[in-house]
């Protein structure tokens, strides 16, 4: 008799060794893609290059696609693909509802809860695919899109890495997810600001990116840029994520966990004795009733 699958391990996507390596590599490259203005040395050619943002914009979608394919190759079956399609479609439809009104983006709440229930591997794939689908739906395709895909993949993956997946329930879980959604909403906005900051020039000496300047000086300008341009948007996104998590989170968590149990993603496939016998099956010698 096979052992039952526990609640915490019944997940549609497992990050195997290859997926973990690919995810680690794209994370390191993603950090370089987002942070090169602050990481590049004054003497490096990268610090004075105008091509760096476009180079990373061309490279990142290929890397994200490789990671998604690698993670999926570890065992994403038809049920997992179906769930991915449904959640990505819902997330893509939710994003335009509030984007443009004080940064209100209800899709962040869905990504937090989905990553929590379905795990970090599924969360990364879901975040990336949802942002890609949303860009196609809203016409938001541009050099920023691969950065959004990676940042949202990180955001959803982080929700899947939160502790107590099989122990913490009820209000304690909702409070933990709300705190993560609040902090993660600001983190998402901050890294996306870092991507756009280097492209926008002429905004004033106090907030513009100065290629090759010391880390401290550029970091101070970047913080001033965030406060001046996106604090209200990030706060609106964070507050809405908390409100939706506390009010609708329990219902959606219950629905996602019920769907996961019914799907039984990691349930072993077994066949009853004799099930392999079918049309054209030839019994082994000496096993028929006549002893032939």
């Amino acid at each position: 008799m096979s052992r039952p699958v526990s609640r915490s391990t019944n997940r549609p996507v497992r990050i195997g060794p290859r997926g973990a390596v690919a995810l680690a590599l794209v994370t390191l490259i993603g950090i370089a893609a987002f942070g090169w203005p602050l990481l590049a040395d004054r003497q490096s050619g990268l610090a004075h290059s105008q091509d760096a943002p476009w180079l990373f914009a061309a490279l990142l979608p290929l890397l994200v696609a490789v990671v998604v394919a690698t993670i999926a190759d570890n065992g994403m079956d038809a049920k997992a693909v179906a769930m991915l399609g449904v959640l990505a479609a819902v997330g893509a439809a939710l994003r335009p509802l509030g984007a443009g009104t004080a940064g209100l983006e209800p899709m962040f709440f869905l990504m937090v809860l989905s990553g929590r229930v379905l795990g970090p591997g599924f969360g990364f794939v879901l975040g990336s695919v949802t942002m890609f689908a949303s860009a196609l739906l809203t016409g938001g395709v541009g050099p920023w899109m691969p950065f959004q895909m990676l940042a949202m993949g990180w955001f959803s993956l982080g929700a899947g890495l939160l502790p107590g997946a099989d122990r913490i329930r009820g209000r304690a879980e909702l409070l933990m997810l709300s705190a993560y959604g609040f902090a993660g909403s600001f983190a998402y906005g901050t890294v996306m600001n870092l991507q756009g900051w280097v492209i926008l020039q002429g905004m004033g000496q106090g907030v513009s990116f100065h290629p090759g300047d010391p880390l401290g000086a550029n970091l101070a300008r970047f913080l001033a840029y965030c406060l001046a341009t996106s604090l209200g948007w990030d706060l609106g996104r964070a507050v809405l994520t908390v409100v939706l998590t506390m009010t609708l989170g329990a219902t959606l968590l219950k629905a996602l966990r019920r769907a996961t149990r019914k799907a039984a993603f990691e349930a072993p496939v077994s066949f009853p004795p004799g099930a392999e016998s079918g049309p054209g099956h030839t019994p082994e010698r000496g096993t028929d009733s006549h002893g032939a």
Side-chain angles (χ1 to χ4, degrees), residues 96-240:
L97 295 180
T101 307
L104 303 178
E105 294 179 275
M107 69 171 290
F108 279 74
F109 137 81
L110 178 64
M111 296 298 105
V112 170
L113 301 187
S114 299
R116 171 64 171 176
V117 174
L118 299 168
F122 190 93
F124 182 85
V125 176
L126 176 63
S128 301
V129 171
T130 301
M131 193 57 73
F132 177 75
S134 172
L136 296 180
L137 181 65
T138 60
V141 178
W144 54 84
M145 186 186 72
F147 293 90
Q148 291 177 327
M149 291 173 60
L150 183 57
M152 185 57 69
W154 284 341
F155 178 80
S156 302
L157 179 146
L161 294 175
L162 292 173
D166 57 347
R167 302 187 313 274
I168 302 177
R169 291 291 186 272
R171 188 169 182 82
E173 183 178 36
L174 293 179
L175 289 173
M176 180 180 66
L177 294 177
S178 296
Y180 174 81
F182 188 88
S185 296
F186 275 98
Y188 174 88
T190 300
V191 297
M192 288 307 303
N193 284 340
L194 193 55
Q195 178 270 329
W197 178 53
V198 299
I199 300 176
L200 300 175
Q201 300 294 326
M203 296 178 294
Q205 293 297 314
V207 296
S208 292
F209 170 58
H210 291 193
D213 269 16
L215 172 63
N218 265 330
L219 184 59
R221 296 188 188 99
F222 175 64
L223 294 177
Y225 169 79
C226 291
L227 292 174
T229 61
S230 67
L231 178 62
W233 288 76
D234 294 340
L235 181 61
R237 181 190 302 121
V239 170
L240 180 63

Side-chain angles (χ1 to χ4, degrees), residues 245-268:
T245 301
M246 293 302 298
T247 55
L248 303 178
T251 302
L252 185 54
L253 285 171
K254 184 178 180 180
L256 287 172
R257 285 177 172 135
R258 183 188 301 116
T260 302
R261 286 195 301 270
K262 289 184 177 181
F265 294 107
E266 296 186 4

